Amino acid sequence: MNPPLILDGAVRLSHWGVIRAQGDDAASFLHGQLSNDFALLGLSQARLAAYCSPKGRMLASFVAFKRSASELWLACDAQVLPTALKRLSMFVLRAKAKLTDAGAELAAVGLTGPGAEAWLGDNAQLAVWGKNDAGEASIVRLPDAALPDGRLQRRFVWVGPAAAAATVESALPALPLARWQWLEVMSGVAAILAATVEQFVPQMLNYELVGGVDFKKGCYPGQEIVARSQYRGTIKRRAAIVHATEELSAGMEVFASNDPGQPAGLVAQAAPHPLGGYSAIVELKLTALEAGSLHLRGAEGPVLSVGRLPYSVPVDSTAAA
């Protein structure tokens, strides 16, 4: 019998970094660069957003929110941050906006489980992508993770002064970082990592299904490609959760038995399963999901089993990069 999963507590998210955007034009500038709407973003909301190349390929992904009308914080993978910050800054031009790496000043702490929700108080009732300020910090409700027993695990992130992060951690049981990273995978919402830069159009990672793309907001780099994929029925790849007994890591190729001669997909994000083996979000051809078995590294490689996403993928989109 498997031991019970202990998923309660707080953990410093050392793999996250934070960009601070300041200035009267900060929101409008980001609105013109990212896949989501920042012009209408309120102080009680957060956004998932993709930063794309002109070809629609994701250069970075952000969990972003406003601290005030003229200041936004954008959390992303720490290894991706320097390049994304440099590229975004190149396009500020005459806009009244300044982007800086706030990693030395701000830290992110992941919170999950009943103890964490008790500590959060009323903030535990936030809707997904809801946000509330708590003094110099902000709390965001992230998408839920699907557990093996069918339950959904709620997740939150506290972002605030680095000096205060230790106080948050000490108030709750220590959650191993690997368990938080597994919950990230089980949420079905993949971040762009160093190994996956420019590998995916947002729909390949289901971003439009989890609030990461606004198709009404107007132009941004890659917008035409992203919109064409959506409206012309060219979404032929999707993200799925898989499990394996072998180690999985971002950037590994996946093969399908019904088309063994070429890769069927790519591991986007992976983490050790608390009960053994590994779990991953994998971007796959829909034909690979619909027929045949999945294998790691080659058609004769270790078998991957498909898990459950915590959100639904519309049937019509599975018939349609």
Side-chain angles (χ1 to χ4, degrees):
M1 184 175 180
N2 289 327
L5 278 176
I6 300 175
L7 298 165
D8 185 31
V11 58
R12 183 81 63 103
L13 304 184
S14 55
H15 58 306
W16 284 38
V18 182
I19 293 173
R20 177 186 277 118
Q22 294 173 290
D24 291 344
D25 297 337
S28 60
F29 168 72
L30 293 172
H31 185 80
Q33 294 294 319
L34 306 180
S35 66
N36 219 327
D37 188 316
F38 287 86
L40 300 178
L41 176 63
L43 292 174
S44 62
Q45 302 165 306
R47 294 272 198 261
L48 175 69
Y51 180 38
C52 298
S53 72
K55 294 183 179 180
R57 297 280 169 159
M58 295 173 69
L59 302 167
S61 57
F62 296 107
V63 174
F65 52 88
K66 286 181 177 177
R67 281 288 300 176
S68 69
S70 59
E71 181 173 346
L72 296 93
W73 294 355
L74 299 90
C76 67
D77 178 74
Q79 293 185 349
V80 170
L81 186 151
T83 302
L85 174 59
K86 182 178 180 180
R87 186 182 179 101
L88 277 168
S89 298
M90 288 171 54
F91 295 98
V92 171
L93 302 176
R94 296 182 181 178
K96 295 178 181 178
K98 182 179 180 181
L99 278 63
T100 56
D101 183 347
E105 307 158 51
L106 301 175
V109 178
L111 305 165
T112 191
E117 291 186 27
W119 181 85
L120 285 164
D122 291 343
N123 289 318
Q125 304 307 313
L126 288 169
V128 173
W129 298 125
K131 169 255 184 185
N132 192 36
D133 293 333
E136 295 183 276
S138 295
I139 296 163
V140 175
R141 167 95 180 268
L142 300 173
D144 298 343
L147 300 184
D149 61 7
R151 290 181 298 123
L152 294 177
Q153 180 90 6
R154 291 195 283 185
R155 303 182 305 132
F156 303 82
V157 63
W158 176 100
V159 184
T167 302
V168 179
E169 294 177 280
S170 64
L172 293 162
L175 182 74
L177 180 59
R179 297 215 170 173
W180 175 269
Q181 290 174 317
W182 180 71
L183 289 174
E184 288 182 332
V185 168
M186 298 306 292
S187 76
V189 183
I192 293 299
L193 310 178
T196 61
V197 170
E198 291 197 82
Q199 293 297 316
F200 310 120
V201 170
Q203 290 98 323
M204 294 179 183
L205 294 183
N206 301 346
Y207 262 47
E208 88 284 16
L209 304 180
V210 293
V213 182
D214 187 322
F215 291 103
K216 299 177 182 179
K217 66 173 290 290
C219 294
Y220 57 90
Q223 181 266 341
E224 184 178 348
I225 305 298
V226 175
R228 185 183 304 138
S229 296
Q230 188 71 18
Y231 295 121
R232 295 190 179 180
T234 57
I235 302 173
K236 297 178 182 177
R237 309 178 77 99
R238 280 292 187 187
I241 289 176
V242 302
H243 306 287
T245 57
E246 302 265 341
E247 181 176 357
L248 299 170
S249 62
M252 284 184 167
E253 291 182 334
V254 173
F255 289 75
S257 60
N258 62 345
D259 186 14
Q262 58 185 336
L266 197 72
V267 175
Q269 192 167 342
H273 192 298
L275 302 181
Y278 276 73
S279 301
I281 301 172
V282 178
E283 172 268 340
L284 288 165
K285 294 178 181 177
L286 290 171
T287 53
L289 273 172
E290 294 162 357
S293 56
L294 300 175
H295 301 264
L296 186 65
R297 294 190 295 270
E300 303 299 323
V303 175
L304 305 175
S305 61
V306 179
R308 181 176 71 93
L309 286 164
Y311 53 85
S312 60
V313 178
V315 175
D316 57 352
S317 74
T318 62

